[in-house]
Amino acid sequence: MSQHLLLPLVILAISPTPGAFQDSALSPTQEEPEDLDCGRPEPTARIVGGSDAQPGTWPWQVSLHHGGGHICGGSLIAPSWVLSAAHCFVRNGTLEPAAEWSVVLGAHSQDAPPDGAQVRAVAAILVPDNYSAVELGADLALLRLAAPARLGPAVRPVCLPRASHQFAHGTACWATGWGDVQEADPLPLPWVLQEVELRLLGEAACQCLYSQPGPFNLTLQLLPGMLCAGYPEGRRDTCQGDSGGPLVCEEGGRWFQAGITSFGFGCGRRNRPGVFTAVAPYEAWIQEQVMGSEPGPVFPIQPQEPQSGSREPTEENCTIALPECGKASRPGAWPWEAQVMVPGSRPCHGALVSESWVLAPASCFLDLLSSGRPPRDLEAWRVRLPSRPRAERVARLVPHENASWEDASDLALLQLRAPVNLSAAPRPVCLPHPEHYFLPGSRCRLARWGRGEPAPGPSALLEAELLGGWWCHCLYGRQGAPVPLPGDPPLALCPAYQEEEEAGRCWNDSRWSLLCREEGTWFLAGIRDFSSDCLRPRAFFPLQTHGPWISHVTRGAYLEDQLAWHWGLEGEETEAQTCPPHTEHGACGLRPEAAPVGVLWPWLAEVHVAGDRVCTGILVAPGWVLAATHCVLRLGSTTVPYIEVYLGRAGASPLPQGHQLSRLVTSAPPLLCQTEGGSWVLMGMAVRGSRELFAAVGPEEAWISQTVGEAHFLPPSGSPYWPPVGNNLCPPDLARASGSPRAVLFLLLLTPLIQS
Ligand code: 4AZ
């Protein structure tokens, strides 16, 4: 819990084996004082705002080891008893054997065998009969130690509340543990016990927060015996590995254990406070289990009544927190836009992701690394942020470990020397969690990224609609590749730009990041348009896979839950799907099912012949367009006229203004049929003068494939499939009817000509 979250050592093998802690001086029969005290650590100074606990501050905190490492926390409640969480010990409905567990007491850091630490074997694990799953409550357990702990400054029991004890909501309490410091981010060495101050939330306030719908429609019904602590804005919390550890509140100079760390939705997320097992309601169960054990746990009388008015069940506001990131007064005026100024280079554009960190492409700086200039010399580097009078100084540059060889990881984080005050500007952009699912149809825009020149025109204001994951994935993916389901990280994000279609231009000289909006909040969704040249739709590398790295480095980036999740409804696939046949350039014959904007038929080409005719061509390979001969050649002529081919704009938008009247003669429409795999296949071209009679393309396969090696013919198994009645995509098979005309076709070799 560093700044806030606790940390697990779950996966890391802890170096000292339990034996290393063995306290040989301890005699198991050692007598404990009769008047066992509780909840009083030896006085020590605590670092205010710090996250490492001072040794001796929380002497009841224990670490529960299994298989050689820390798994859960616990609290010493009597010399022979430890309180923890049931879910630490129950696997698939079965209690794990006590003999596999050991309890480490008096540890501060788990790095080295700590002075004064003791290890005890576990004689018994007791779990309430009605425990079945964390979200159903009763998540507590008692561990009887094989030998009592020897009490001292580093090992003391905590006080337990009686059943009647009431903890006022709003009370500042403390949670402690060695759990993760962020989701999936273990506590770093030297594994010092972490502490975090959490406020008790009343039942109504907590239920209100957990009733806010979240991704995967996750909400939670709080049950009696559960207790919440944390903040609506999140950011301070317990996490995996803290489970079983105590939440303690000071009353009358003693520390009472109000809760046992149990679960939550993620760690430190907005409107998702930590859920604890309330200890007070389990007084009777605890007393029953420890009966006859001397000395037993201490349940002091509540030292003072909580102030009236702050107790449950008084009225509580339902104050939910709104995102603190991703708000922009208008698109294009991005309050997170950062310019990294490195002497001798053009500014590099990035995004502010927290008070202290800027995310930018590593490629802006990698040349500095390779040219031998030490990147550590950041003295002259500056970062410009909106509305800041002076440029910020840079303390640290952290490139992504794969930055130099993987475009999808072309990322670096720059730490500012001093955190900036966040306001309307500068304000960080929101980052997606790995499971974020940007809905097809999401509205997205571009922001400058890296060293690219701005595109001419109102590029930053262009609005795109995100295409469906299946189409985007298969267009750039491999044949048979499984399409990621919602909740799995996508390999690409494809925005379609209506304006770009209309402008007939492409910006292959520019570098962009992709911002997508959910409920008025902007997320940095993708980086580095990786589609080459003018290939459309554009494709961006999704940023969400890097969320854990960013939060690990920054410990405070604004990762935000998905805000729009009405998916799984019509149109969106939720079943496993694989990609249809493809070429080395990606799948052929795919088009967006619901075609939000953009090109309905992405292979259609406008073939402009000698300035007076426009007919239809078909893109059959990156450099080749197939057209009907009668379109290209005038009757009786054998010389090829001047021809221009326009790609990527047919089917969606009308012909450009000014061309429309003189060139409205569109001839040789193609006949396309859809295969079972979803690909569209060119079956025929209309014969001269007809819109209904088609000449089959199939017989020309040999000629086409000899001329255009990369043209892709569907294998026999992908034979065209005729859709059910009522879905009349293709007319009867005229193309194969006997006596049907041979296609007379022209292949046009494309040369790049115009790039406006
Ligand atoms: C866990 O997995 C866990 N943020 C513990 C506490 C919380 C979440 C998960 C609360 O043990």
mmCIF file with all atom_site columns, all heavy atoms in Angstrom, residues 295-306:
data_model
loop_
_atom_site.group_PDB
_atom_site.id
_atom_site.type_symbol
_atom_site.label_atom_id
_atom_site.label_alt_id
_atom_site.label_comp_id
_atom_site.label_asym_id
_atom_site.label_entity_id
_atom_site.label_seq_id
_atom_site.pdbx_PDB_ins_code
_atom_site.Cartn_x
_atom_site.Cartn_y
_atom_site.Cartn_z
_atom_site.occupancy
_atom_site.B_iso_or_equiv
_atom_site.pdbx_formal_charge
_atom_site.auth_seq_id
_atom_site.auth_comp_id
_atom_site.auth_asym_id
_atom_site.auth_atom_id
_atom_site.pdbx_PDB_model_num
ATOM 1  N N   . PRO A 1 295 ? -3.328  -16.905 28.176 1.00 0.00 ? 295 PRO A N   1
ATOM 2  C CA  . PRO A 1 295 ? -4.314  -15.835 28.119 1.00 0.00 ? 295 PRO A CA  1
ATOM 3  C C   . PRO A 1 295 ? -4.962  -15.778 26.749 1.00 0.00 ? 295 PRO A C   1
ATOM 4  O O   . PRO A 1 295 ? -4.313  -16.054 25.743 1.00 0.00 ? 295 PRO A O   1
ATOM 5  C CB  . PRO A 1 295 ? -3.472  -14.590 28.380 1.00 0.00 ? 295 PRO A CB  1
ATOM 6  C CG  . PRO A 1 295 ? -2.076  -14.949 27.997 1.00 0.00 ? 295 PRO A CG  1
ATOM 7  C CD  . PRO A 1 295 ? -1.950  -16.432 28.083 1.00 0.00 ? 295 PRO A CD  1
ATOM 8  N N   . GLY A 1 296 ? -6.225  -15.395 26.721 1.00 0.00 ? 296 GLY A N   1
ATOM 9  C CA  . GLY A 1 296 ? -6.960  -15.294 25.472 1.00 0.00 ? 296 GLY A CA  1
ATOM 10 C C   . GLY A 1 296 ? -6.925  -13.873 24.944 1.00 0.00 ? 296 GLY A C   1
ATOM 11 O O   . GLY A 1 296 ? -6.234  -13.016 25.508 1.00 0.00 ? 296 GLY A O   1
ATOM 12 N N   . PRO A 1 297 ? -7.651  -13.641 23.860 1.00 0.00 ? 297 PRO A N   1
ATOM 13 C CA  . PRO A 1 297 ? -7.691  -12.287 23.313 1.00 0.00 ? 297 PRO A CA  1
ATOM 14 C C   . PRO A 1 297 ? -8.392  -11.328 24.279 1.00 0.00 ? 297 PRO A C   1
ATOM 15 O O   . PRO A 1 297 ? -9.163  -11.759 25.127 1.00 0.00 ? 297 PRO A O   1
ATOM 16 C CB  . PRO A 1 297 ? -8.501  -12.435 22.026 1.00 0.00 ? 297 PRO A CB  1
ATOM 17 C CG  . PRO A 1 297 ? -9.096  -13.789 22.048 1.00 0.00 ? 297 PRO A CG  1
ATOM 18 C CD  . PRO A 1 297 ? -8.466  -14.600 23.115 1.00 0.00 ? 297 PRO A CD  1
ATOM 19 N N   . VAL A 1 298 ? -8.074  -10.055 24.129 1.00 0.00 ? 298 VAL A N   1
ATOM 20 C CA  . VAL A 1 298 ? -8.646  -9.049  25.019 1.00 0.00 ? 298 VAL A CA  1
ATOM 21 C C   . VAL A 1 298 ? -9.691  -8.243  24.254 1.00 0.00 ? 298 VAL A C   1
ATOM 22 O O   . VAL A 1 298 ? -9.424  -7.763  23.149 1.00 0.00 ? 298 VAL A O   1
ATOM 23 C CB  . VAL A 1 298 ? -7.537  -8.121  25.567 1.00 0.00 ? 298 VAL A CB  1
ATOM 24 C CG1 . VAL A 1 298 ? -8.123  -7.172  26.601 1.00 0.00 ? 298 VAL A CG1 1
ATOM 25 C CG2 . VAL A 1 298 ? -6.419  -8.952  26.165 1.00 0.00 ? 298 VAL A CG2 1
ATOM 26 N N   . PHE A 1 299 ? -10.882 -8.136  24.869 1.00 0.00 ? 299 PHE A N   1
ATOM 27 C CA  . PHE A 1 299 ? -11.983 -7.352  24.286 1.00 0.00 ? 299 PHE A CA  1
ATOM 28 C C   . PHE A 1 299 ? -12.290 -6.205  25.252 1.00 0.00 ? 299 PHE A C   1
ATOM 29 O O   . PHE A 1 299 ? -13.250 -6.285  26.016 1.00 0.00 ? 299 PHE A O   1
ATOM 30 C CB  . PHE A 1 299 ? -13.236 -8.225  24.125 1.00 0.00 ? 299 PHE A CB  1
ATOM 31 C CG  . PHE A 1 299 ? -13.141 -9.308  23.075 1.00 0.00 ? 299 PHE A CG  1
ATOM 32 C CD1 . PHE A 1 299 ? -12.543 -10.535 23.358 1.00 0.00 ? 299 PHE A CD1 1
ATOM 33 C CD2 . PHE A 1 299 ? -13.667 -9.109  21.798 1.00 0.00 ? 299 PHE A CD2 1
ATOM 34 C CE1 . PHE A 1 299 ? -12.468 -11.535 22.399 1.00 0.00 ? 299 PHE A CE1 1
ATOM 35 C CE2 . PHE A 1 299 ? -13.593 -10.115 20.839 1.00 0.00 ? 299 PHE A CE2 1
ATOM 36 C CZ  . PHE A 1 299 ? -12.998 -11.320 21.132 1.00 0.00 ? 299 PHE A CZ  1
ATOM 37 N N   . PRO A 1 300 ? -11.481 -5.144  25.264 1.00 0.00 ? 300 PRO A N   1
ATOM 38 C CA  . PRO A 1 300 ? -11.735 -4.086  26.243 1.00 0.00 ? 300 PRO A CA  1
ATOM 39 C C   . PRO A 1 300 ? -13.085 -3.422  25.978 1.00 0.00 ? 300 PRO A C   1
ATOM 40 O O   . PRO A 1 300 ? -13.578 -3.439  24.847 1.00 0.00 ? 300 PRO A O   1
ATOM 41 C CB  . PRO A 1 300 ? -10.612 -3.084  26.013 1.00 0.00 ? 300 PRO A CB  1
ATOM 42 C CG  . PRO A 1 300 ? -9.616  -3.765  25.139 1.00 0.00 ? 300 PRO A CG  1
ATOM 43 C CD  . PRO A 1 300 ? -10.379 -4.784  24.362 1.00 0.00 ? 300 PRO A CD  1
ATOM 44 N N   . ILE A 1 301 ? -13.635 -2.848  27.048 1.00 0.00 ? 301 ILE A N   1
ATOM 45 C CA  . ILE A 1 301 ? -14.862 -2.063  26.887 1.00 0.00 ? 301 ILE A CA  1
ATOM 46 C C   . ILE A 1 301 ? -14.514 -0.860  26.017 1.00 0.00 ? 301 ILE A C   1
ATOM 47 O O   . ILE A 1 301 ? -13.403 -0.316  26.107 1.00 0.00 ? 301 ILE A O   1
ATOM 48 C CB  . ILE A 1 301 ? -15.367 -1.612  28.266 1.00 0.00 ? 301 ILE A CB  1
ATOM 49 C CG1 . ILE A 1 301 ? -15.789 -2.876  29.019 1.00 0.00 ? 301 ILE A CG1 1
ATOM 50 C CG2 . ILE A 1 301 ? -16.490 -0.592  28.150 1.00 0.00 ? 301 ILE A CG2 1
ATOM 51 C CD1 . ILE A 1 301 ? -16.341 -2.637  30.379 1.00 0.00 ? 301 ILE A CD1 1
ATOM 52 N N   . GLN A 1 302 ? -15.437 -0.473  25.161 1.00 0.00 ? 302 GLN A N   1
ATOM 53 C CA  . GLN A 1 302 ? -15.154 0.663   24.265 1.00 0.00 ? 302 GLN A CA  1
ATOM 54 C C   . GLN A 1 302 ? -14.816 1.892   25.110 1.00 0.00 ? 302 GLN A C   1
ATOM 55 O O   . GLN A 1 302 ? -15.608 2.273   25.981 1.00 0.00 ? 302 GLN A O   1
ATOM 56 C CB  . GLN A 1 302 ? -16.360 0.939   23.367 1.00 0.00 ? 302 GLN A CB  1
ATOM 57 C CG  . GLN A 1 302 ? -16.081 2.004   22.330 1.00 0.00 ? 302 GLN A CG  1
ATOM 58 C CD  . GLN A 1 302 ? -17.062 1.975   21.166 1.00 0.00 ? 302 GLN A CD  1
ATOM 59 O OE1 . GLN A 1 302 ? -18.150 1.414   21.297 1.00 0.00 ? 302 GLN A OE1 1
ATOM 60 N NE2 . GLN A 1 302 ? -16.670 2.567   20.057 1.00 0.00 ? 302 GLN A NE2 1
ATOM 61 N N   . PRO A 1 303 ? -13.610 2.473   24.886 1.00 0.00 ? 303 PRO A N   1
ATOM 62 C CA  . PRO A 1 303 ? -13.184 3.553   25.764 1.00 0.00 ? 303 PRO A CA  1
ATOM 63 C C   . PRO A 1 303 ? -14.106 4.758   25.742 1.00 0.00 ? 303 PRO A C   1
ATOM 64 O O   . PRO A 1 303 ? -14.321 5.385   26.745 1.00 0.00 ? 303 PRO A O   1
ATOM 65 C CB  . PRO A 1 303 ? -11.803 3.937   25.232 1.00 0.00 ? 303 PRO A CB  1
ATOM 66 C CG  . PRO A 1 303 ? -11.414 2.880   24.266 1.00 0.00 ? 303 PRO A CG  1
ATOM 67 C CD  . PRO A 1 303 ? -12.639 2.164   23.839 1.00 0.00 ? 303 PRO A CD  1
ATOM 68 N N   . GLN A 1 304 ? -14.594 5.117   24.599 1.00 0.00 ? 304 GLN A N   1
ATOM 69 C CA  . GLN A 1 304 ? -15.501 6.265   24.566 1.00 0.00 ? 304 GLN A CA  1
ATOM 70 C C   . GLN A 1 304 ? -16.561 5.998   23.529 1.00 0.00 ? 304 GLN A C   1
ATOM 71 O O   . GLN A 1 304 ? -16.318 5.313   22.536 1.00 0.00 ? 304 GLN A O   1
ATOM 72 C CB  . GLN A 1 304 ? -14.742 7.555   24.244 1.00 0.00 ? 304 GLN A CB  1
ATOM 73 C CG  . GLN A 1 304 ? -14.343 7.712   22.789 1.00 0.00 ? 304 GLN A CG  1
ATOM 74 C CD  . GLN A 1 304 ? -12.821 7.822   22.610 1.00 0.00 ? 304 GLN A CD  1
ATOM 75 O OE1 . GLN A 1 304 ? -12.082 8.028   23.573 1.00 0.00 ? 304 GLN A OE1 1
ATOM 76 N NE2 . GLN A 1 304 ? -12.360 7.677   21.397 1.00 0.00 ? 304 GLN A NE2 1
ATOM 77 N N   . GLU A 1 305 ? -17.713 6.542   23.811 1.00 0.00 ? 305 GLU A N   1
ATOM 78 C CA  . GLU A 1 305 ? -18.802 6.416   22.842 1.00 0.00 ? 305 GLU A CA  1
ATOM 79 C C   . GLU A 1 305 ? -18.441 7.240   21.622 1.00 0.00 ? 305 GLU A C   1
ATOM 80 O O   . GLU A 1 305 ? -17.946 8.363   21.760 1.00 0.00 ? 305 GLU A O   1
ATOM 81 C CB  . GLU A 1 305 ? -20.097 6.962   23.450 1.00 0.00 ? 305 GLU A CB  1
ATOM 82 C CG  . GLU A 1 305 ? -20.724 6.026   24.463 1.00 0.00 ? 305 GLU A CG  1
ATOM 83 C CD  . GLU A 1 305 ? -21.330 4.817   23.789 1.00 0.00 ? 305 GLU A CD  1
ATOM 84 O OE1 . GLU A 1 305 ? -22.306 4.997   23.049 1.00 0.00 ? 305 GLU A OE1 1
ATOM 85 O OE2 . GLU A 1 305 ? -20.804 3.693   23.981 1.00 0.00 ? 305 GLU A OE2 1
ATOM 86 N N   . PRO A 1 306 ? -18.674 6.723   20.422 1.00 0.00 ? 306 PRO A N   1
ATOM 87 C CA  . PRO A 1 306 ? -18.437 7.579   19.252 1.00 0.00 ? 306 PRO A CA  1
ATOM 88 C C   . PRO A 1 306 ? -19.354 8.784   19.305 1.00 0.00 ? 306 PRO A C   1
ATOM 89 O O   . PRO A 1 306 ? -20.440 8.697   19.860 1.00 0.00 ? 306 PRO A O   1
ATOM 90 C CB  . PRO A 1 306 ? -18.782 6.679   18.072 1.00 0.00 ? 306 PRO A CB  1
ATOM 91 C CG  . PRO A 1 306 ? -19.294 5.412   18.622 1.00 0.00 ? 306 PRO A CG  1
ATOM 92 C CD  . PRO A 1 306 ? -19.202 5.421   20.105 1.00 0.00 ? 306 PRO A CD  1
#
